[in-house]
Amino acid sequence: MTRRRRLALVLAPLLLFVGACASDAPQSTLDPKGPIARSIDALWDGVFIVAVVVFILVEFGTLYLVIRFRRRADDTDDDLPAQTHGNTRLEILWTLIPAVLLGLVGFFTLVTLFDINRKDDDALAVQVTGQQWWWEFTYDTDGDGEFTDEDVLTANDLVIPAGQDVNLEIGSNDVIHSFWIPALNGKKDAVPGSEHPLRLNADEPGTYVGQCTEYCGLSHGYMRQRVIAMTPDDFDAWLEDQIPEAEMPTDGEAAAGAELFATQCSGCHLARGINDEEFADQGDGTELLVSGNAPDLTHFASRGVFAGGIFNLWVDKDGDDIIEKDEISEEFNRGAVEAWLRNPPAEKPMDAPALPEPGGEKIRGMPDLNLPEEQIDQLVDFLETLE
Amino acid sequence: MAIVERPTAPLELTTGEPETIRPLGVMTRPQGTTGWKSWLTTVDHKRIGIMYGAAALFFFVLGGFEALLIRLQLAAPGQKLYSADLYNQLFTMHGVTMIFLVVIPLGAAFMNYLMPLQVGARDVAFPRLNAFSYWCFLAGGLLLNTSWFLGGGADGGWFAYAPNTGVTFSPSHGMDFYAIGLQLTGIASLVGAINLVVTVLNMRAPGMTLMKMPVFTWMGFVTQLLLVFALPVISVALFLLTFDRLFNANFFNVSEGADPLLWEHLFWIFGHPEVYILILPAFGVVSEIIPVFSRKPIFGYPFMIFSGIAIGFMGWGVWAHHMFASGMGPLSVAAFAVSTMFIAVPTGVKILNWLATMWGGKLRFTTPMLFAIGLVTMFTIGGLSGVTHAVAPSDTQQTDTYYIVAHFHYVIFGGALMGFLGGLYFWWPKVFGFLLNEKLGKWHFWTILIGFNLTFGPMHILGLQGMPRRMHTYVEGYGFDFWNMVSTIGAFIIAVSMTIFAANVLLSWRAHRRNPVNAGPDPWDARSLEWMVPSPVPSHNFDEVPTVSHLDEFWHRKYAENAEGKVVRVATGAEVAQKGDAENVHLPSPSYWPLVVAAGLPIIGYGLIFNLALAAVGGVIVVLGAFAWGYEPADDPEAHHGHGGHDDGHGDGHGDDDGDGEGELATVGSGPAGTTGEEASDD
């Protein structure tokens, strides 16, 4: 094989790495979209080059040895090569040089590590809570410095202002999950019983995707999160719009759906302004679920995705299958919501065989409620009004 | 000189009355050395090694099937070949099987077979305990796999993070089988480790100082020390999990104040030394193979030994690099990032020393040599990706993605497994008396090299593009589709290559049956003591325990410097090798009790899961078996002497049979006193 061919074989995967900066790799770790991710990526670039150099030296070195020192046809077993036992100076050298090299890598590692872990205490704080198998986000809208049920609760889409730090406090209601948006920062585990900080910062408004990255059971593969970064003005407007209660619909079908929601769904879900009483009566959503928490649906129709981020709530218009801010509230993806309500466990593996009896074993996920089609239609009509 | 005069008659007690000891009066001691039943009662380290190897290869096929099912599901986006629940069981069982039931026992196979031979001993320090190790391991592996039939395989991932492994979140019995099965395999390895450590320290041949031991034995020795200290940690963790799951304890119950990170720390304090346990034996294997087929000694023997020891020590200080995203706080992350970076230094030294061994040599590319070079080149890739993980900020992007899956498969498959496959080809003629076919061996090597790189190379890309681990499926539009398909194709190529290996074993054996030409003691012109005895190795190992004066003692008996200072051959291997025909060699006697005690343990296990009365029954078997074992003399006073189980008359004493100045067998415990290698110096 010619030298050039061999070089091409080595470079091809390198090129593929570079080529991963394509728009069809929205979860790529090599395409940073914010200063923190960029800092990590810069460190990676340097270390990767060192690794490639060592790779070439060792692998091509081996190839060279294998060719140059192969036994020739006329060698007999009694033709022994020089029986070198070692070379202490050389060995010390090739112990020290890698140590120094690694020390350098270590130095830059620590610099970046402490840089990305600094915290701007004035930045917006959002509480991120993982549970099987979706993410909840809490904004301290009542300004009391605490994250409580009096604050705005949303799910799946973490909305943040672009161009500034956002401090996440990440926890869990059941098992260990991990929150990750590769374009913006590395991941941080959501561990029940503690809160872990993670800083996000997106250069520009846009939609950045991620997945749960700590094995958390049945639907670990179906637990997704997204960040929607908006201009600071748009963000303020969005947050303002999240605070009010939902409006009780007046139109027949949607109103019927609202009533159904209050009677059927209050064991787990709350839509403020619609079923506050029923929700409180049935234990504030803590009675039926192991995690004690189901998504708050007050502004369900302001989100881009649902069911733990695996289904689009709106129809994708620009062909990238990612529902961005401008696609929300365009064309409702009715079919997906209907399919979900028809039989949630068929759409997403969960441990929720049926609605539990009072005092019965709690479930993990949403069960099949055996709703007739007419009721499903009404519920979907209602859900669409929850902007 | 024997320290103690051994009685020639059954034990004489102080009352002066000879008494025959029968264990519980129930079973006579087995004495056969042929037939399938003799394998159940054997205490011969070589047979035990072979059984470890056979079991490991069986579990490799099982784990391989699990892998193929995983790869089939992931070949294309959005597939639903089977449920997410089954997928979760498959990846969990695949990981547990490959690590605990394949790579560890493959290492055990080589270490059990070779370490006594390489140090010039006739067996390990505690032969019955050695047998117990094997049966206990087998019991654990089988128990774990019966989970498939008893409610579902373990489904918590191989590192089983709490609280997901608790009863609430893993309601099937799968995790109970995980906890108990691994407890049993852990006992097996721990017990075996004590055995081999004592063997190395106490039973070396006269003249064999520690720094004259072969590199393989040294790496094995460090591995056993790692096992001794690491296994208790996971034992504790598994006990905590078992008590939570079966007896309502709250060790990992967050609502009662537990911290799930306790499991993570316990697991990884074991788990990181574990990976050095996986790789060091294979490092030892290639350190034997490369010098033989380069026709020169290992380059830098002291550095090879000290780097192995360094890896052993430093391996204890890096565990939390598995936890960089766990919320430890930046100071802890920083400390472990730095320690992890430095452990690359001794590992890198080894790579360079192997290459320097090849430098200036006359390289023969036999199948073992190809696999050894495979380890060197593939482990390098895994080691480099490992260094990138040490860069903690980067690792927060890499961890829990396929980039990590790529890394550990490159080091475990491309490293440990390649090394062990080379070892199989290398030592096969020693163990079985015939060589494996070279042509098929080369086909095996090249197909596995290609298949392996096609399977795991693309996973680096998938990981960097953001594909997380343990996903039962993925969607289009993320750039994952193409490389997943390539990876699946690679996996099937690996399956083909292992079929070639199976065919090689079968066809070579059949060819040998048709035309039984013995491979001879030294088919490769090798360097260490195991090549100085016939192939297959006689049950008594050495006719005469050799006196050692060099590293690579066997080599130095074949080659010496001539008058001009040139190293030339002075004898062939066959001339130097022992004939294997010694008679009246006293060997440790076979026993039922290791098997009985080992059989009681899984009964306890099933009992804990299903019915405590059954556990009590198992407990009784274990306790009674242990007592019987304890009362049974280490050596059967009525044993016939000599090898091969022939009735060649009672021996004339257990003392200094071969006149080399030492007693035969160091068995510690009851019965006639043994002598140890220490005493056998200058008589």
Side-chain angles (χ1 to χ4, degrees), chain A residues 13 16-17 19-21 23-30 37 40 43-44 47-48 50-52 54-55 58-59 61-62 64-71 75-88 90-92 94-96 98-100 102-103 105-107 109-110 112-114 116-117 132 173-176 178 180-189 191-194 196 209-222 224 290 320-322 346-347 349 351 364, chain B residues 80 84-85 88 91-92 155-157 159 161-164 168-171 254 258-261 264 294-301 303-304 324-328 330-331 333-335 337-338 341-342 344-345 349 351-353 355-356 358-365 373 376-378 380-381 384 387-388 390-401 403 460-461 463-480 483 525 527 555-556 559 566-569:
Chain A
L16 277 153
F17 281 133
C21 305
S23 60
D24 62 350
Q27 228 159 259
S28 172
T29 64
L30 302 175
I40 296 174
L43 187 58
W44 159 264
V47 176
F48 183 63
V50 172
V52 168
V54 174
F55 170 86
V58 173
E59 308 296 4
T62 308
Y64 170 77
L65 290 175
V66 149
I67 294 171
R68 165 140 181 229
F69 294 107
R70 71 189 187 284
R71 184 172 182 248
D75 275 330
T76 68
D77 277 345
D78 292 334
D79 276 328
L80 289 181
Q83 301 287 289
T84 319
H85 282 82
N87 181 327
T88 309
L90 187 59
E91 296 173 64
I92 292 178
W94 71 40
T95 308
L96 283 181
V100 166
L102 287 166
V105 171
F107 171 74
T109 298
L110 293 185
T112 305
L113 180 67
F114 286 109
I116 65 177
N117 273 287
Q132 288 179 325
N173 277 334
D174 46 29
V175 300
I176 302 180
S178 194
W180 190 37
I181 308 284
L184 301 183
N185 197 351
K187 59 186 68 73
K188 189 60 67 89
D189 286 356
V191 180
S194 39
H196 298 144
V209 297
Q211 287 181 261
C212 173
T213 31
E214 186 60 65
Y215 175 63
C216 57
L218 277 173
S219 271
H220 169 61
Y222 275 161
R224 304 213 186 104
V290 168
D320 64 0
D321 203 34
I322 294 177
E347 299 294 312
D351 186 17
R364 300 180 289 132
Chain B
K80 289 195 169 117
D85 188 24
N88 294 343
F91 78 70
T92 303
D155 60 356
F159 42 84
Y161 279 1
N164 190 44
T168 312
F169 302 104
S170 277
V254 178
D259 183 352
L261 258 47
E264 290 195 38
S294 306
R295 319 247 334 120
K296 50 196 281 283
I298 189 81
F299 188 92
Y301 174 87
F303 267 78
M304 286 304 272
F324 280 153
S326 68
M328 295 193 292
L331 273 178
V333 171
V338 172
M341 244 164 252
F342 284 114
V345 174
V349 162
I351 301 276
L352 294 171
N353 278 33
L355 292 180
M358 290 165 63
W359 177 284
K362 290 193 190 274
L363 308 177
R364 269 195 304 158
F365 299 110
I373 298 174
V376 172
T377 48
M378 295 301 104
T380 297
I381 297 174
L384 288 171
V387 168
T388 65
V391 177
S394 265
D395 185 67
T396 60
Q397 294 283 33
Q398 302 161 9
T399 191
D400 256 286
T401 68
Y403 187 81
H460 293 101
I461 301 174
L464 291 174
Q465 289 192 312
M467 181 173 176
R469 282 172 82 165
R470 303 163 153 198
M471 299 269 134
H472 70 281
T473 188
Y474 56 94
V475 294
E476 287 181 339
Y478 280 67
F480 300 155
W483 291 117
D525 198 18
R527 312 178 73 90
W555 175 269
H556 284 93
Y559 293 89
K566 185 169 180 263
V567 178
V568 291
R569 181 189 284 281

Side-chain angles (χ1 to χ4, degrees), chain B residues 39-59:
Chain B
W39 286 80
L40 297 177
T41 56
T42 187
V43 298
D44 180 343
H45 72 101
K46 300 183 291 298
R47 286 189 156 195
I48 291 169
I50 292 170
M51 290 196 287
Y52 266 116
L57 290 174
F58 164 73
F59 284 119

Side-chain angles (χ1 to χ4, degrees), chain B residues 142-315:
Chain B
L142 291 176
L143 181 140
L144 171 68
N145 279 287
T146 56
S147 63
W148 289 114
F149 308 110
L150 293 171
D155 60 356
W158 90 271
F159 42 84
Y161 279 1
N164 190 44
T165 49
V167 186
T168 312
F169 302 104
S170 277
S172 83
H173 282 304
M175 290 312 295
D176 297 312
F177 285 104
Y178 168 93
I180 292 172
L182 291 187
Q183 200 71 273
L184 294 185
T185 58
I187 293 170
S189 290
L190 180 60
V191 154
I194 296 171
N195 216 335
L196 284 171
V197 167
V198 173
T199 305
V200 167
L201 290 179
N202 285 9
M203 294 175 66
R204 282 165 282 132
M208 182 172 277
T209 60
L210 285 174
M211 293 305 272
K212 291 199 183 76
M213 295 199 306
V215 179
F216 175 80
T217 292
W218 253 113
M219 295 302 105
F221 182 53
V222 175
T223 304
Q224 300 306 317
L225 286 168
L226 286 174
L227 281 165
V228 167
F229 291 105
L231 285 168
V233 182
I234 193 177
S235 267
V236 165
L238 291 172
F239 270 121
L240 299 185
L241 180 64
T242 302
F243 271 79
D244 264 25
R245 287 186 58 90
L246 296 179
F247 306 118
N248 279 318
N250 286 310
F251 294 109
F252 304 114
N253 187 347
V254 178
S255 58
E256 295 295 327
D259 183 352
L261 258 47
L262 173 66
W263 170 273
E264 290 195 38
H265 282 293
L266 285 175
F267 186 86
W268 289 118
I269 290 174
F270 153 79
H272 197 82
E274 164 72 1
V275 312
Y276 297 115
I277 290 165
L278 296 176
I279 196 61
L280 283 176
F283 278 178
V285 169
V286 311
S287 300
E288 300 297 314
I289 292 176
I290 291 179
V292 169
F293 298 107
S294 306
R295 319 247 334 120
K296 50 196 281 283
I298 189 81
F299 188 92
Y301 174 87
F303 267 78
M304 286 304 272
I305 301 309
F306 287 121
S307 63
I309 295 173
I311 289 171
F313 271 109
M314 292 168 79

Side-chain angles (χ1 to χ4, degrees), chain A residues 31-45:
Chain A
D31 196 13
K33 294 281 198 280
I36 309 164
R38 232 188 333 273
S39 172
I40 296 174
D41 190 51
L43 187 58
W44 159 264
D45 283 346

Side-chain angles (χ1 to χ4, degrees), chain B residues 18-38:
Chain B
E19 185 167 320
T20 306
I21 293 178
R22 294 212 170 282
L24 298 185
V26 170
M27 291 198 264
T28 55
R29 188 151 190 174
Q31 288 177 354
T33 53
T34 56
W36 66 269
K37 276 187 277 193
S38 70

Side-chain angles (χ1 to χ4, degrees), chain B residues 59-60 62-64 67 93-104:
Chain B
F59 284 119
F60 183 72
L62 199 54
M93 295 294 278
H94 166 76
V96 175
T97 298
M98 288 306 197
I99 292 174
F100 292 100
L101 307 183
V102 178
V103 179
I104 297 251

